[in-house]
Amino acid sequence: MKQTGDLNLVKKINKTIVLHHIRTDSPISRARIAEITGLTKATVSSLVNELIESSLVEEIGAGESSGGRKPMMLLFNGMAGYAIGVDLGVHDMLAVLTDLTGKVIRENRIQHHNESVEQVTQLLKTTIREFIETAPESVYGVIGIGLGVPGIVDEEGNLLFAPNLGWENVPLQSQLEAEFGLPVVIDNEANAGAVGEKQFGAGKDTANLIYVSIGMGIGAGIIIKNELYRGATGFSGEIGHISIQHDGPKCRCGSLGCWELYASEHALLEQAGKELGREVDLETLLTKAESGDAGVIKLFERLGYYLGVGVVNIINGYNPEFIILGGRLAGGEKWLMKPLLDLLEKRSLPHPRKQLKVEFSELRDRSTVLGAASFAVTKFFASTTVSVERN
């Protein structure tokens, strides 16, 4: 029995490897997969046949010959199923339906007023249900749901603490799984954003990166040697709550002088409200800055300075290859970047800074939602390499 179990495990691992190369390198031939992996051609052929039968892989015809018979090329079938990703923000949620490659099929942004946990979770369920009901026909249907949230999440998908939402101990994963009967993955929104950047954004070729999510608060997703770093108990990345002013104002987290009190979207809107004498939203400020409003541009530049203060701590503390700044504030890059880089030049240690790249995300505010959807896809593939059952 032990030998059979071991053989099944080896087969599972090999199938995972083969599927990975088809997903990432297709179109690709069986011979090329055997060459890359070191598996025998017979093993690769057997595993590929199983993946074709499961509708995850398809043959697309002959490729170029390298001297012998033309090889039959394989393509990953991204439309075999669909995933739902949601970025739950403090005042809105962005939801996407993607295929298994991460291609966005549909997206929707919904505003909310965070009046209560019950109202927001009901809106979340309504949004997910609409996506499930309108998903295109496919072999596996909707395979799972991924959710990025602005707070601390445990391994069971409970949202333990989200200071900017004012939520504590919300069992989101169990609620959604009971509602929809689908696998659900819930993680901190900055972790999801880091994975989104690693898979679909500027971080594809970077082994050590930090994604800084700048929304109503600030969080960081940390990737070290191509793996998401979670810390000893899974709660790493709460970098918005590093104090940059020891006797500063009190933060919602209970500490004083936290970075996000100076460098977040909330900080920008609060300062803008004081100077303009009325409440404004980010879109209004971006429009005013674009039209040359010197006062608003100065607000963005001030925010860029404070972003730089925190980024200096990231550089000196983690020595990453790449820091990617994302979230809705990425739209203010042209006014934020110069004061940020000026501060880095003055204050960060020269050796960690020497080969460092700092950029705003090209995905803008989609990093988290794409990462969240990819969590669901990853969970699906972890099960399909064992056995695949069609809906």
Side-chain angles (χ1 to χ4, degrees), residues 3 56 69 72 78 87 111 117 120 137 145 181 186 188 199-200 247 255 279 292 317 326 336-337 377 381:
Q3 183 181 19
L56 292 173
R69 190 170 64 180
M72 186 62 67
D87 177 4
Q111 303 296 319
V117 174
V120 177
E137 290 291 324
I145 301 160
I186 298 180
N188 174 267
Q199 291 197 11
F200 308 110
D247 57 352
S255 186
E279 288 189 5
L336 296 170
M337 185 59 99
V377 173
F381 284 129

Side-chain angles (χ1 to χ4, degrees), residues 352-373:
R353 188 179 68 239
K354 191 173 182 180
Q355 297 185 7
L356 170 74
K357 288 196 299 182
V358 179
E359 294 180 5
F360 279 86
S361 170
E362 294 177 2
L363 299 176
R364 298 300 185 186
D365 61 353
R366 277 174 144 198
S367 307
T368 290
V369 77
L370 291 175

Side-chain angles (χ1 to χ4, degrees), residues 209-212 218-220 222 239 242 259 307-320 322-323 325 352 356:
L209 70 86
I210 294 181
Y211 170 75
V212 181
I218 296 177
I222 304 164
I239 202 160
I242 288 178
W259 183 28
L307 279 174
V309 172
V311 171
V312 165
N313 291 327
I314 294 174
I315 295 169
N316 294 346
Y318 292 96
N319 185 28
F322 200 177
I323 296 175
L325 306 170
L356 170 74

Side-chain angles (χ1 to χ4, degrees), residues 120-273:
V120 177
T121 52
Q122 187 56 50
L123 181 60
L124 175 63
K125 291 174 183 177
T126 299
T127 302
I128 292 171
R129 186 175 294 107
E130 289 176 355
F131 273 38
I132 292 173
E133 292 173 352
T134 59
E137 290 291 324
S138 62
V139 175
Y140 297 104
V142 175
I143 53 86
I145 301 160
L147 181 62
V149 296
I152 296 173
V153 182
D154 67 14
E155 292 182 353
E156 286 73 46
N158 299 305
L159 179 53
L160 301 180
F161 183 45
N164 290 312
L165 278 171
W167 292 13
E168 287 188 66
N169 300 315
V170 182
L172 273 177
Q173 181 174 315
S174 61
Q175 287 183 13
L176 295 178
E177 288 183 338
E179 182 79 15
F180 299 109
L182 291 170
V184 176
V185 182
I186 298 180
D187 207 334
N188 174 267
E189 53 88 22
N191 284 343
V195 171
E197 288 292 339
K198 178 65 179 165
Q199 291 197 11
F200 308 110
K204 288 180 181 178
D205 301 320
T206 306
N208 302 286
L209 70 86
I210 294 181
Y211 170 75
V212 181
S213 171
I214 315 163
M216 298 308 284
I218 296 177
I222 304 164
I223 291 181
I224 299 174
K225 295 182 178 178
N226 295 309
E227 297 290 335
L228 185 63
Y229 175 73
R230 297 183 177 278
T233 55
F235 305 141
S236 68
E238 291 295 331
I239 202 160
H241 298 290
I242 288 178
S243 179
I244 64 169
Q245 180 65 44
H246 73 92
D247 57 352
K250 189 171 183 179
C251 180
R252 292 182 185 183
C253 75
S255 186
L256 302 177
C258 292
W259 183 28
E260 67 179 41
L261 295 176
Y262 302 86
S264 64
E265 181 181 337
H266 182 270
L268 175 68
L269 298 181
E270 188 174 58
Q271 189 64 31

Side-chain angles (χ1 to χ4, degrees), residues 289-362:
E290 195 64 57
S291 66
D293 188 311
V296 173
I297 290 173
K298 189 174 180 180
L299 286 174
F300 277 106
E301 290 175 343
R302 176 178 182 271
L303 192 80
Y305 168 86
Y306 279 117
L307 279 174
V309 172
V311 171
V312 165
N313 291 327
I314 294 174
I315 295 169
N316 294 346
Y318 292 96
N319 185 28
E321 297 173 64
F322 200 177
I323 296 175
I324 302 172
L325 306 170
R328 281 158 37 93
L329 271 174
E333 175 183 355
K334 67 166 70 174
W335 309 289
L336 296 170
M337 185 59 99
K338 184 179 186 304
L340 187 154
L341 292 179
D342 286 348
L343 193 74
L344 301 193
E345 186 68 27
K346 293 174 183 175
R347 295 197 184 181
S348 61
L349 294 172
H351 293 294
R353 188 179 68 239
K354 191 173 182 180
Q355 297 185 7
L356 170 74
K357 288 196 299 182
V358 179
E359 294 180 5
F360 279 86
S361 170
E362 294 177 2

